[in-house]
Amino acid sequence: MKSGSNLEKILTAGHFAFTGELGPPRGSNIEAIRKKAAPLKGMVDAVNITDNQTAVVRMSSWAASLFAISEGLEPNYQMVCRDRNRLAMQGDILGAYAHGIRNMLCLSGDHQQFGDHPQSKGVFDIDSTQLINMVKTMRDEGTFLNGQEIDEPPKMFIGAAANPFAEPFEWRVYRLAKKVQAGADFVQTQCVFNMEKMREWVKRANDMGLTDKVYILAGVTPMKSLGMARYMKAKVPGMDVPDYIIDRLKGVDKKNQADEGIKIACEQIDEFKEMKGVAGVHLMAIEWEQKVPEIAERAGVLPRPQV
Amino acid sequence: MIVAERKPFDEIKELIQGYKKVLVVGCGTCVAVCLTGGEKEVGVLSAELKLVNKTASDPASFGEATVQRQCDFEFLDELKDIVGEYDALLSMACGAGIQFLAERYPEIPVLPAVDTVFIGVNKDVGWYEERCKACGSCALGMTGGICPVTMCAKSLFNGPCGGTNQESCEINKDQPCAWRMIYERLAKQGRLDNIIKICPPNDWRNQKPQTLIQPGYEERKTAVE
């Protein structure tokens, strides 16, 4: 075991992993975290705690991760390269590990221009691939980025993100290969809507032998409404929402759109369970945490294995 | 070249408020090429300042001077006989030129009339684009002559990120994704091997003031000091 996290145990035991997501509050409101955490308990193997997602200030991801632990959830601590340099990152990783955090997801981060402080200075001292490698070096070599020894190295299960849909498509699988080489243990993909492209990307990853080295968790986001689908198609960078998803939601009564969205998500999860090279699903029920138990139930991923 | 843009007129007025005799100092090099701070722009700014001062109860007066380069003491010396007549200098040079003018005449307040924005290229008349952040560790050999630090909004060394929007950067549809361009150029040149390797963290040499002394000039520096 590299970290001994629950997520690592689930994946190494060969179970189909199921992870969730929790966005920290825009304030110090612990109740808000508890409210979001409650429906996830027992439903997911780990929960991603986002780091100032969409470049909007929120409670820090390590602090919210600690609350997740106290609520009985295993956090997948997200860290972006936008807001801190290599000193702050390594310091936070030490503290996070000392407090019991065992999974980390290493990301570039959305550009600060999108967020609530567009005038801020983006740090981007190192990039996501370099961050992955830094966390691996800390764990496996027991040294900081500068080569100096760490007094009790943090042992993280290292996650990376991948977007199989963004251009240039041909290069995406090579970028995955770089992250694997850098030290990623698992990968969570961007929300998948375009299944054809996803199948092709996974096939290429299989052909390159990458899926023998890294666990791929496919990103699934249930659409709450036709409006959400249209918004994601038009406004969210790197999102690939094919017309047939829009048409399917358009084809049902407005009050049934949310149900249709969940149905689509469950069909995707069913396909991922059978897809060679996919080791699990990362469910991003955006501001819809209360629906996670229903989705998990309908997707047939319950009960979660105890490992 | 170094590209600058003139500050908003109201900000300039605010900066020089209270000074009765102001010398507007242009620079004949980069800022002249980018149509911001050369002799012509000095004339325009001082004409505008004179115009608004006409109606003032206690008007200020303005002089004009343009030197070839404000980043060189040799040219700044040309001003030594006239600066004494003024109680402030309003520089239209880049940030380096403004500081050197202030260093040459430390007894007189020196104020900026422009914002220095980037090191860039002349795409067409009046059209300039950034190309270099002067990071101090050039990666262009690896990236097919396209700078990942400057042209990628996240300065990624192992891009492209997941926010790539079709062929554009996530920050702006009109901004091409630098890493898509890098990929395409290297693919055409058969040099994709360059970016298959992981690029290690950068040495950000631009995080402290830099000095360069060319080989053979060390003694000269000591003598000047």
Side-chain angles (χ1 to χ4, degrees):
Chain A
M1 282 283 137
K2 291 167 173 171
S3 72
S5 76
N6 183 55
L7 181 61
E8 182 181 8
K9 287 181 194 157
I10 291 275
L11 286 166
T12 48
H15 297 296
F16 189 77
F18 192 63
T19 56
E21 193 152 302
L22 190 161
R26 301 204 62 201
S28 310
N29 185 348
I30 307 168
E31 263 326 297
I33 301 178
R34 290 192 179 125
K35 213 171 146 194
K36 281 183 168 186
L40 297 173
K41 208 175 159 186
M43 301 293 151
V44 291
D45 304 316
V47 55
N48 286 37
I49 309 294
T50 53
D51 181 13
N52 286 346
Q53 84 252 33
T54 63
V56 168
V57 176
R58 291 166 184 276
M59 182 188 290
S60 58
S61 52
W62 66 260
S65 291
L66 298 188
F67 285 118
I69 293 174
S70 64
E71 292 304 303
L73 292 168
E74 175 170 284
N76 180 17
Y77 168 42
Q78 296 195 183
M79 182 181 277
V80 300
C81 298
R82 179 195 59 232
D83 301 336
R84 47 179 73 69
N85 69 9
R86 58 190 88 174
L87 282 91
M89 285 173 151
Q90 292 178 100
D92 281 353
I93 293 164
L94 295 179
Y97 180 77
H99 275 290
I101 293 169
R102 294 291 179 266
N103 307 299
M104 251 191 92
L105 186 72
C106 307
L107 306 164
S108 306
D110 294 323
H111 195 273
Q112 61 274 14
Q113 183 190 294
F114 292 108
D116 60 350
H117 291 70
Q119 301 88 351
S120 63
K121 181 176 180 182
V123 179
F124 300 110
D125 176 22
I126 60 174
D127 69 20
S128 55
T129 307
Q130 294 162 347
L131 172 58
I132 291 163
N133 197 243
M134 186 170 80
V135 185
K136 181 184 163 63
T137 303
M138 292 173 84
R139 181 189 69 198
D140 296 347
E141 311 298 324
T143 65
F144 293 111
L145 192 56
N146 64 1
Q148 287 174 358
E149 212 171 295
I150 301 172
D151 177 11
E152 261 195 57
K155 308 270 186 197
M156 292 288 186
F157 193 50
I158 306 168
N163 185 344
F165 312 104
E167 293 299 328
F169 178 70
E170 299 291 322
W171 185 249
R172 290 292 161 180
V173 75
Y174 291 97
R175 188 153 194 261
L176 171 69
K178 285 178 81 167
K179 290 188 173 183
V180 172
Q181 195 198 333
D185 300 307
F186 68 100
V187 161
Q188 292 173 318
T189 76
Q190 176 65 281
C191 314
V192 179
F193 299 106
N194 185 336
M195 290 298 280
E196 289 81 16
K197 232 173 179 177
M198 181 66 178
R199 286 180 204 119
E200 177 59 27
W201 181 78
V202 173
K203 183 182 171 296
R204 291 183 187 198
N206 284 334
D207 291 347
M208 283 173 70
L210 297 172
T211 48
D212 298 330
K213 299 175 189 157
V214 73
Y215 299 105
I216 294 180
L217 276 60
V220 172
T221 287
M223 294 290 193
K224 286 159 126 170
S225 64
L226 178 60
M228 172 177 171
R230 282 183 169 145
Y231 176 83
M232 289 186 92
K233 185 182 175 74
K235 301 277 185 211
V236 182
M239 207 63 83
D240 183 350
V241 183
D243 286 332
Y244 61 76
I245 298 280
I246 308 272
D247 291 343
R248 239 182 102 171
L249 293 165
K250 227 191 270 177
V252 300
D253 214 54
K254 198 166 179 190
K255 64 176 193 311
N256 295 328
Q257 280 171 0
D259 190 66
E260 191 67 16
I262 293 175
K263 216 180 269 173
I264 296 170
C266 291
E267 289 166 18
Q268 288 182 305
I269 296 170
D270 278 342
E271 184 173 344
F272 287 133
K273 282 185 204 163
E274 304 303 322
M275 196 181 286
K276 180 179 178 289
V278 172
V281 157
H282 176 52
L283 183 72
M284 289 167 274
I286 304 163
E287 296 300 319
W288 219 20
E289 289 84 358
Q290 75 279 12
K291 279 281 182 187
V292 170
E294 180 191 330
I295 297 165
E297 181 64 47
R298 286 171 62 177
V301 295
L302 295 180
R304 296 310 308 148
Q306 297 300 309
V307 283
Chain B
M1 77 180 132
I2 296 172
V3 178
E5 65 181 338
R6 208 179 90 173
K7 281 183 176 287
F9 190 61
D10 286 344
E11 189 183 338
I12 296 174
K13 273 198 305 186
E14 181 80 21
L15 275 166
I16 60 170
Q17 205 172 27
Y19 297 108
K20 290 295 143 224
K21 286 201 78 183
V22 177
L23 181 65
V24 184
V25 189
C27 178
T29 309
C30 306
V31 290
V33 177
C34 68
L35 310 180
T36 298
E39 192 170 6
K40 184 168 158 255
E41 293 76 31
V42 166
V44 172
L45 176 58
S46 91
E48 286 175 46
L49 289 167
K50 283 172 186 164
L51 195 67
V52 295
N53 265 273
K54 256 187 183 167
T55 51
S57 53
D58 184 15
S61 65
F62 298 90
E64 299 168 26
T66 298
V67 298
Q68 194 173 334
R69 287 204 299 275
Q70 289 193 29
C71 56
D72 197 322
F73 272 169
E74 186 187 332
F75 296 108
L76 292 176
D77 280 347
E78 293 167 13
L79 302 171
K80 68 176 188 295
D81 296 330
I82 59 168
V83 292
E85 300 164 28
Y86 295 92
D87 48 16
L89 307 178
L90 182 61
S91 173
M92 300 192 81
C94 72
I98 298 168
Q99 288 185 65
F100 222 36
L101 179 66
E103 191 173 326
R104 175 63 184 80
Y105 301 107
E107 63 286 352
I108 308 170
V110 172
L111 309 161
V114 307
D115 291 313
T116 304
V117 282
F118 54 77
I119 301 174
V121 295
N122 200 347
K123 286 279 279 194
D124 198 353
V125 182
W127 171 13
Y128 315 97
E129 286 186 1
E130 185 171 17
R131 287 293 184 275
C132 178
K133 293 251 192 238
C135 73
S137 331
C138 193
L140 291 170
M142 170 190 78
T143 55
I146 297 163
C147 176
V149 176
T150 312
M151 306 309 287
C152 168
K154 299 177 185 172
S155 295
L156 303 182
F157 284 84
N158 297 281
C161 76
T164 314
N165 207 352
Q166 309 292 345
E167 301 197 324
S168 306
C169 174
E170 69 178 30
I171 61 156
N172 183 351
K173 256 193 134 64
D174 300 326
Q175 183 65 45
C177 167
W179 274 95
R180 178 186 59 80
M181 294 194 294
I182 291 168
Y183 167 76
E184 285 173 0
R185 186 172 291 170
L186 291 175
K188 259 189 203 145
Q189 297 179 353
R191 297 166 68 209
L192 282 173
D193 278 359
N194 276 8
I195 53 168
I196 281 177
K197 292 174 287 203
I198 295 169
C199 180
N202 193 37
D203 173 13
W204 298 105
R205 287 176 56 199
N206 61 350
Q207 297 298 295
K208 53 185 187 287
Q210 300 288 303
T211 299
L212 167 72
I213 302 148
Q214 296 288 16
Y217 289 85
E218 297 87 350
E219 283 181 23
R220 188 182 161 93
K221 180 176 182 272
T222 316
V224 170
E225 282 170 350

mmCIF file of all heavy atoms in Angstrom, chain B residues 5 8 10 16 19 24 28 39 42 57 68 82 102 107 110 117 123 138 146 151 162 167 187 194 205 214 219:
data_model
loop_
_atom_site.group_PDB
_atom_site.id
_atom_site.type_symbol
_atom_site.label_atom_id
_atom_site.label_comp_id
_atom_site.label_asym_id
_atom_site.label_seq_id
_atom_site.Cartn_x
_atom_site.Cartn_y
_atom_site.Cartn_z
ATOM 1 N N GLU B 5 1.599 51.611 -22.491
ATOM 2 C CA GLU B 5 0.421 52.369 -22.941
ATOM 3 C C GLU B 5 0.225 53.569 -22.024
ATOM 4 O O GLU B 5 0.566 53.512 -20.834
ATOM 5 C CB GLU B 5 -0.836 51.492 -22.974
ATOM 6 C CG GLU B 5 -1.297 50.979 -21.642
ATOM 7 C CD GLU B 5 -2.536 50.085 -21.750
ATOM 8 O OE1 GLU B 5 -3.266 50.197 -22.749
ATOM 9 O OE2 GLU B 5 -2.750 49.286 -20.821
ATOM 10 N N PRO B 8 -4.477 56.730 -18.193
ATOM 11 C CA PRO B 8 -5.652 57.583 -18.410
ATOM 12 C C PRO B 8 -5.310 59.042 -18.044
ATOM 13 O O PRO B 8 -4.576 59.286 -17.074
ATOM 14 C CB PRO B 8 -6.700 57.002 -17.461
ATOM 15 C CG PRO B 8 -6.245 55.613 -17.175
ATOM 16 C CD PRO B 8 -4.753 55.625 -17.272
ATOM 17 N N ASP B 10 -6.868 61.431 -16.647
ATOM 18 C CA ASP B 10 -7.206 61.893 -15.285
ATOM 19 C C ASP B 10 -6.162 61.443 -14.264
ATOM 20 O O ASP B 10 -5.860 62.159 -13.316
ATOM 21 C CB ASP B 10 -8.595 61.368 -14.868
ATOM 22 C CG ASP B 10 -9.713 62.123 -15.584
ATOM 23 O OD1 ASP B 10 -9.419 63.213 -16.144
ATOM 24 O OD2 ASP B 10 -10.848 61.627 -15.603
ATOM 25 N N ILE B 16 0.381 64.810 -11.329
ATOM 26 C CA ILE B 16 1.196 66.037 -11.422
ATOM 27 C C ILE B 16 0.563 67.207 -10.674
ATOM 28 O O ILE B 16 1.085 68.325 -10.706
ATOM 29 C CB ILE B 16 1.460 66.451 -12.897
ATOM 30 C CG1 ILE B 16 0.141 66.709 -13.630
ATOM 31 C CG2 ILE B 16 2.290 65.401 -13.613
ATOM 32 C CD1 ILE B 16 0.353 67.341 -15.000
ATOM 33 N N TYR B 19 2.311 70.538 -8.975
ATOM 34 C CA TYR B 19 3.583 70.950 -9.580
ATOM 35 C C TYR B 19 3.316 72.045 -10.620
ATOM 36 O O TYR B 19 2.409 71.904 -11.440
ATOM 37 C CB TYR B 19 4.296 69.753 -10.224
ATOM 38 C CG TYR B 19 4.669 68.704 -9.207
ATOM 39 C CD1 TYR B 19 3.999 67.482 -9.154
ATOM 40 C CD2 TYR B 19 5.672 68.957 -8.276
ATOM 41 C CE1 TYR B 19 4.325 66.526 -8.211
ATOM 42 C CE2 TYR B 19 6.009 67.990 -7.323
ATOM 43 C CZ TYR B 19 5.332 66.793 -7.296
ATOM 44 O OH TYR B 19 5.653 65.851 -6.360
ATOM 45 N N VAL B 24 7.758 67.209 -19.687
ATOM 46 C CA VAL B 24 7.326 65.914 -20.213
ATOM 47 C C VAL B 24 8.500 65.337 -20.992
ATOM 48 O O VAL B 24 9.001 65.950 -21.933
ATOM 49 C CB VAL B 24 6.092 66.065 -21.130
ATOM 50 C CG1 VAL B 24 5.591 64.689 -21.579
ATOM 51 C CG2 VAL B 24 4.977 66.829 -20.410
ATOM 52 N N GLY B 28 13.007 57.891 -27.261
ATOM 53 C CA GLY B 28 12.959 57.664 -28.706
ATOM 54 C C GLY B 28 13.088 56.218 -29.155
ATOM 55 O O GLY B 28 13.238 55.955 -30.343
ATOM 56 N N GLU B 39 8.599 61.320 -29.320
ATOM 57 C CA GLU B 39 8.528 62.784 -29.439
ATOM 58 C C GLU B 39 7.112 63.259 -29.775
ATOM 59 O O GLU B 39 6.607 64.238 -29.207
ATOM 60 C CB GLU B 39 9.515 63.231 -30.526
ATOM 61 C CG GLU B 39 9.749 64.725 -30.535
ATOM 62 C CD GLU B 39 10.904 65.120 -31.461
ATOM 63 O OE1 GLU B 39 11.439 64.235 -32.165
ATOM 64 O OE2 GLU B 39 11.239 66.304 -31.478
ATOM 65 N N VAL B 42 4.820 62.922 -26.800
ATOM 66 C CA VAL B 42 5.151 63.953 -25.810
ATOM 67 C C VAL B 42 4.439 65.256 -26.189
ATOM 68 O O VAL B 42 3.833 65.936 -25.351
ATOM 69 C CB VAL B 42 6.687 64.158 -25.727
ATOM 70 C CG1 VAL B 42 7.028 65.448 -24.980
ATOM 71 C CG2 VAL B 42 7.339 62.967 -25.037
ATOM 72 N N SER B 57 -7.231 78.198 -12.353
ATOM 73 C CA SER B 57 -7.023 79.488 -11.685
ATOM 74 C C SER B 57 -5.520 79.743 -11.485
ATOM 75 O O SER B 57 -5.053 80.881 -11.557
ATOM 76 C CB SER B 57 -7.756 79.497 -10.352
ATOM 77 O OG SER B 57 -7.376 78.379 -9.590
ATOM 78 N N GLN B 68 17.026 59.951 -26.784
ATOM 79 C CA GLN B 68 17.004 58.733 -27.599
ATOM 80 C C GLN B 68 16.658 57.490 -26.762
ATOM 81 O O GLN B 68 15.886 56.646 -27.184
ATOM 82 C CB GLN B 68 18.337 58.543 -28.296
ATOM 83 C CG GLN B 68 18.246 57.492 -29.402
ATOM 84 C CD GLN B 68 19.513 57.417 -30.211
ATOM 85 O OE1 GLN B 68 20.272 58.386 -30.316
ATOM 86 N NE2 GLN B 68 19.753 56.262 -30.801
ATOM 87 N N ILE B 82 18.584 71.648 -18.378
ATOM 88 C CA ILE B 82 17.204 72.171 -18.330
ATOM 89 C C ILE B 82 16.365 71.659 -17.154
ATOM 90 O O ILE B 82 15.425 72.318 -16.739
ATOM 91 C CB ILE B 82 16.447 71.923 -19.659
ATOM 92 C CG1 ILE B 82 16.389 70.429 -19.991
ATOM 93 C CG2 ILE B 82 17.101 72.699 -20.809
ATOM 94 C CD1 ILE B 82 15.406 70.113 -21.118
ATOM 95 N N ALA B 102 14.885 58.929 -12.849
ATOM 96 C CA ALA B 102 14.805 59.291 -11.425
ATOM 97 C C ALA B 102 16.145 59.096 -10.723
ATOM 98 O O ALA B 102 16.506 59.845 -9.813
ATOM 99 C CB ALA B 102 13.715 58.467 -10.737
ATOM 100 N N GLU B 107 17.079 64.506 -7.150
ATOM 101 C CA GLU B 107 16.518 65.612 -6.366
ATOM 102 C C GLU B 107 15.153 66.077 -6.897
ATOM 103 O O GLU B 107 14.438 66.810 -6.222
ATOM 104 C CB GLU B 107 17.531 66.783 -6.298
ATOM 105 C CG GLU B 107 17.896 67.441 -7.619
ATOM 106 C CD GLU B 107 18.837 66.613 -8.524
ATOM 107 O OE1 GLU B 107 19.368 65.555 -8.106
ATOM 108 O OE2 GLU B 107 19.011 67.042 -9.674
ATOM 109 N N VAL B 110 10.085 62.373 -10.155
ATOM 110 C CA VAL B 110 9.849 61.825 -11.492
ATOM 111 C C VAL B 110 8.567 61.003 -11.439
ATOM 112 O O VAL B 110 8.401 60.152 -10.554
ATOM 113 C CB VAL B 110 11.043 60.954 -11.946
ATOM 114 C CG1 VAL B 110 10.713 60.226 -13.248
ATOM 115 C CG2 VAL B 110 12.290 61.811 -12.129
ATOM 116 N N VAL B 117 3.599 47.557 -20.175
ATOM 117 C CA VAL B 117 2.743 46.373 -20.169
ATOM 118 C C VAL B 117 3.415 45.060 -20.561
ATOM 119 O O VAL B 117 3.100 44.019 -20.007
ATOM 120 C CB VAL B 117 1.436 46.600 -20.959
ATOM 121 C CG1 VAL B 117 0.462 47.406 -20.130
ATOM 122 C CG2 VAL B 117 1.657 47.314 -22.291
ATOM 123 N N LYS B 123 2.959 43.459 -34.551
ATOM 124 C CA LYS B 123 2.199 42.626 -35.481
ATOM 125 C C LYS B 123 1.814 43.424 -36.715
ATOM 126 O O LYS B 123 1.744 42.909 -37.811
ATOM 127 C CB LYS B 123 0.933 42.086 -34.813
ATOM 128 C CG LYS B 123 1.193 40.974 -33.808
ATOM 129 C CD LYS B 123 1.376 39.611 -34.461
ATOM 130 C CE LYS B 123 0.042 38.973 -34.812
ATOM 131 N NZ LYS B 123 0.215 37.533 -35.140
ATOM 132 N N CYS B 138 15.022 30.323 -20.635
ATOM 133 C CA CYS B 138 14.270 30.210 -21.893
ATOM 134 C C CYS B 138 13.977 28.754 -22.274
ATOM 135 O O CYS B 138 14.877 27.929 -22.359
ATOM 136 C CB CYS B 138 15.018 30.906 -23.023
ATOM 137 S SG CYS B 138 13.959 31.124 -24.462
ATOM 138 N N ILE B 146 7.559 28.661 -29.206
ATOM 139 C CA ILE B 146 6.356 29.302 -28.653
ATOM 140 C C ILE B 146 6.504 29.267 -27.138
ATOM 141 O O ILE B 146 6.679 28.191 -26.554
ATOM 142 C CB ILE B 146 5.079 28.553 -29.101
ATOM 143 C CG1 ILE B 146 4.931 28.634 -30.631
ATOM 144 C CG2 ILE B 146 3.836 29.125 -28.398
ATOM 145 C CD1 ILE B 146 3.965 27.622 -31.210
ATOM 146 N N MET B 151 2.687 32.618 -23.376
ATOM 147 C CA MET B 151 1.530 32.405 -24.233
ATOM 148 C C MET B 151 0.472 31.515 -23.600
ATOM 149 O O MET B 151 -0.662 31.466 -24.069
ATOM 150 C CB MET B 151 1.974 31.819 -25.583
ATOM 151 C CG MET B 151 3.041 32.647 -26.292
ATOM 152 S SD MET B 151 2.606 34.397 -26.444
ATOM 153 C CE MET B 151 1.339 34.304 -27.712
ATOM 154 N N GLY B 162 -6.872 21.129 -19.109
ATOM 155 C CA GLY B 162 -8.175 20.602 -19.503
ATOM 156 C C GLY B 162 -9.178 21.681 -19.874
ATOM 157 O O GLY B 162 -10.292 21.380 -20.268
ATOM 158 N N GLU B 167 -10.077 25.314 -29.915
ATOM 159 C CA GLU B 167 -8.667 25.585 -30.185
ATOM 160 C C GLU B 167 -8.163 26.760 -29.368
ATOM 161 O O GLU B 167 -7.026 27.196 -29.539
ATOM 162 C CB GLU B 167 -8.482 25.850 -31.676
ATOM 163 C CG GLU B 167 -8.936 24.655 -32.507
ATOM 164 C CD GLU B 167 -8.419 24.680 -33.909
ATOM 165 O OE1 GLU B 167 -8.314 25.770 -34.479
ATOM 166 O OE2 GLU B 167 -8.118 23.598 -34.435
ATOM 167 N N ALA B 187 4.660 18.744 -33.985
ATOM 168 C CA ALA B 187 4.210 17.593 -34.782
ATOM 169 C C ALA B 187 4.665 17.783 -36.223
ATOM 170 O O ALA B 187 5.194 16.858 -36.852
ATOM 171 C CB ALA B 187 2.691 17.453 -34.703
ATOM 172 N N ASN B 194 10.225 16.104 -27.850
ATOM 173 C CA ASN B 194 10.566 17.212 -26.947
ATOM 174 C C ASN B 194 9.612 17.322 -25.768
ATOM 175 O O ASN B 194 10.010 17.683 -24.666
ATOM 176 C CB ASN B 194 10.432 18.555 -27.699
ATOM 177 C CG ASN B 194 11.675 18.883 -28.491
ATOM 178 O OD1 ASN B 194 12.558 18.057 -28.588
ATOM 179 N ND2 ASN B 194 11.726 20.076 -29.036
ATOM 180 N N ARG B 205 14.065 32.800 -12.365
ATOM 181 C CA ARG B 205 15.148 33.733 -12.073
ATOM 182 C C ARG B 205 14.671 35.182 -11.989
ATOM 183 O O ARG B 205 15.406 36.052 -11.534
ATOM 184 C CB ARG B 205 16.238 33.610 -13.156
ATOM 185 C CG ARG B 205 17.038 32.332 -13.025
ATOM 186 C CD ARG B 205 18.026 32.201 -14.168
ATOM 187 N NE ARG B 205 18.907 33.346 -14.273
ATOM 188 C CZ ARG B 205 19.600 33.653 -15.368
ATOM 189 N NH1 ARG B 205 19.493 32.903 -16.439
ATOM 190 N NH2 ARG B 205 20.388 34.703 -15.395
ATOM 191 N N GLN B 214 28.669 41.276 -18.980
ATOM 192 C CA GLN B 214 29.242 40.428 -20.031
ATOM 193 C C GLN B 214 30.692 40.093 -19.677
ATOM 194 O O GLN B 214 31.379 40.899 -19.027
ATOM 195 C CB GLN B 214 29.186 41.153 -21.383
ATOM 196 C CG GLN B 214 27.779 41.428 -21.880
ATOM 197 C CD GLN B 214 27.039 40.184 -22.361
ATOM 198 O OE1 GLN B 214 27.439 39.051 -22.064
ATOM 199 N NE2 GLN B 214 25.950 40.391 -23.081
ATOM 200 N N GLU B 219 35.956 44.212 -14.676
ATOM 201 C CA GLU B 219 36.854 45.234 -14.125
ATOM 202 C C GLU B 219 36.290 46.624 -14.326
ATOM 203 O O GLU B 219 36.408 47.495 -13.472
ATOM 204 C CB GLU B 219 38.235 45.128 -14.782
ATOM 205 C CG GLU B 219 39.046 43.983 -14.227
ATOM 206 C CD GLU B 219 40.427 43.882 -14.859
ATOM 207 O OE1 GLU B 219 40.917 44.908 -15.380
ATOM 208 O OE2 GLU B 219 40.987 42.777 -14.827
#
